[in-house]
Amino acid sequence: MAREGVADARVGCGALVRRGDGRIVLVCRRRPPEAGHWGLPGGKVEWMETVEHAVRREVAEETGLVVRLSRLLCVVNHITPATAREDASHWVAPVYLATPITSARALLCEPDALSAVRWFALDDLPTPLTLATQVALRALAET
């Protein structure tokens, strides 16, 4: 239960989508938090929606990709204090490892929220990367 004047943590989700050639899809965020950073496709879990459904929905909404979820890769705790530009935020986000089911052609489907969608080799990633992406890449390397 939220206390008056205190926000609760929000639930997000994401996917590290990897093609057969090992490349991963990343999106460049236009909006806070982490505007201008490259990150995993994902977003918030809607009321009464399963996390797995939210991951598949968010990936499709942002990139046009239909994905199969392989397994839970990690859980990201994204806590940012308030700054002059952004309010404080607290997101808890399960991140799944996923693969495209059909075409691996990623599209920019939400140009208001994202400035680019591209595939990258793991040894040639753009910068800066979102916190969730950094945590997910560390988890992937540990498996």
Side-chain angles (χ1 to χ4, degrees):
M1 176 189 280
R3 297 173 306 247
E4 188 166 333
V6 178
D8 287 329
R10 298 163 79 183
V11 180
C13 63
L16 192 150
V17 181
R18 188 169 53 174
R19 296 190 311 202
D21 64 3
R23 290 179 174 265
I24 64 170
V25 70
L26 296 176
V27 299
C28 189
R29 300 177 54 84
R30 284 192 189 274
R31 299 180 183 153
E34 299 179 295
H37 288 61
W38 287 89
L40 305 172
K44 73 177 183 176
V45 178
E46 300 292 341
W47 175 251
M48 301 302 285
E49 181 180 36
T50 66
V51 172
E52 295 82 5
H53 183 270
V55 172
R56 289 189 298 270
R57 175 184 54 75
E58 286 286 350
V59 170
E61 286 176 359
E62 292 183 356
T63 69
L65 294 169
V66 177
V67 297
R68 174 180 296 115
L69 305 182
S70 304
R71 64 181 173 85
L72 179 65
L73 183 60
C74 62
V75 176
V76 177
N77 289 288
H78 191 177
I79 301 169
T80 55
T83 66
R85 293 183 178 177
E86 297 179 22
D87 292 335
S89 66
H90 180 184
W91 287 89
V92 177
V95 176
Y96 282 79
L97 185 59
T99 54
I101 291 176
T102 54
S103 168
R105 183 168 179 232
L107 305 170
L108 177 59
C109 297
E110 291 187 338
D112 290 341
L114 307 171
S115 62
V117 174
R118 293 196 188 111
W119 291 99
F120 293 94
L122 288 173
D123 62 356
D124 190 25
L125 297 173
T127 57
L129 293 173
T130 64
L131 173 66
T133 305
Q134 294 173 47
V135 172
L137 289 169
R138 283 195 299 271
L140 182 66
E142 292 171 0
T143 59

